[in-house]
Amino acid sequence: GQNIDQPTEMTATEGAIVQINCTYQTSGFNGLFWYQQHAGEAPTFLSYNVLDGLEEKGRFSSFLSRSKGYSYLLLKELQMKDSASYLCAVQTGGFKTIFGAGTRLFVKA
Amino acid sequence: IAGITQAPTSQILAAGRRMTLRCTQDMRHNAMYWYRQDLGLGLRLIHYSNTAGTTGKGEVPDGYSVSRANTDDFPLTLASAVPSQTSVYFCASSAAGGDTQYFGPGTRLTVL
């Protein structure tokens, strides 16, 4: 079967660093996406990993290990506006992308 | 318009009624998708289209149909709505299958 696991909720402090983990078991793998979704809004693209290693983009970094079926999203210098859900998604092939249920991040002052 | 739009923003519908959710993009993307998002389940693919004139079934297609008459529009139809179809529906598009997807603002549908 297809399965993507992420923690349901996390809480972190403004200015800190938080790591959101994602493990996946899918029938195919063409790449892994992270999306951010604020409450009541549409998901927006954050990052894409197709090869093993770390991709850095400003305050956000994403890591992938294909052999372990594992990824994480690292958020540095947390701001209140980072309070949102973070969705891990695996592109399994063709037009199919499997989304995890998302991790709700609460940033507190 | 710029990007991807959906209509209506929200709708309350009686069970058994027919309903079409509209989706339009102006990015000339080839691929378009319909997802439903339910609490605790994440986004689930209903139907997709890789180019105008072709469509395919996703993970949860039953009770839904789509058409893709042109590049820009991808309507989703519920022929006879049931309460289990109460959800938030997102339309998305990408330049090609597998590329980064851009999502519309969503339609919140309640079936009573």
Side-chain angles (χ1 to χ4, degrees):
Chain A
Q2 316 261 49
N3 196 49
I4 296 178
D5 286 319
Q6 343 176 199
T8 304
E9 287 184 0
M10 300 181 70
T11 300
T13 304
E14 194 175 18
I17 299 173
V18 71
Q19 177 175 313
I20 301 174
N21 295 322
C22 170
T23 58
Y24 62 90
Q25 289 180 305
T26 57
S27 57
F29 181 88
N30 282 358
L32 188 142
F33 295 89
W34 284 95
Y35 288 85
Q36 180 190 60
Q37 185 177 24
H38 285 99
E41 298 182 8
T44 56
F45 170 76
L46 282 179
S47 69
Y48 175 64
N49 294 70
V50 63
L51 299 175
D52 289 353
L54 189 69
E55 293 281 343
E56 297 186 81
K57 191 187 295 185
R59 294 190 299 115
F60 295 76
S61 302
S62 56
F63 172 84
L64 174 67
S65 169
R66 289 172 296 171
S67 62
K68 294 182 179 178
Y70 169 69
S71 173
Y72 67 73
L73 180 70
L74 194 71
L75 292 77
K76 304 174 187 175
E77 302 170 14
L78 278 174
Q79 301 175 11
M80 299 299 288
K81 67 179 182 179
D82 297 329
S83 292
S85 288
Y86 292 86
L87 314 180
C88 175
V90 174
Q91 213 279 318
T92 60
F95 295 86
K96 303 290 178 68
T97 299
I98 307 297
F99 283 80
T103 298
R104 288 207 308 177
L105 175 67
F106 299 94
V107 179
K108 59 183 182 179
Chain B
I1 57 174
I4 185 166
T5 60
Q6 294 182 235
T9 301
S10 65
Q11 182 75 44
I12 299 174
L13 190 65
R17 297 296 295 270
R18 180 184 180 89
M19 176 74 191
T20 296
L21 308 185
R22 300 184 298 278
C23 175
T24 299
Q25 55 101 0
D26 67 354
M27 296 177 282
R28 309 305 294 172
H29 283 172
N30 285 316
M32 296 188 75
Y33 315 82
W34 273 105
Y35 293 91
R36 59 178 290 173
Q37 187 174 40
D38 302 290
L39 197 63
L41 291 179
L43 288 158
R44 291 182 292 168
L45 182 65
I46 304 170
H47 285 287
Y48 65 90
S49 169
N50 60 348
T51 190
T54 67
T55 62
K57 293 182 179 179
E59 183 184 357
V60 287
D62 295 342
Y64 306 95
S65 64
V66 292
S67 62
R68 187 89 183 275
N70 56 60
T71 298
D72 298 346
D73 301 300
F74 191 43
L76 176 74
T77 297
L78 289 69
S80 179
V82 295
S84 62
Q85 292 177 311
T86 293
S87 187
V88 180
Y89 290 85
F90 286 102
C91 179
S93 71
S94 64
D99 288 349
T100 301
Q101 294 182 32
Y102 296 87
F103 288 81
T107 293
R108 183 173 295 277
L109 181 67
T110 302
V111 182
L112 301 177

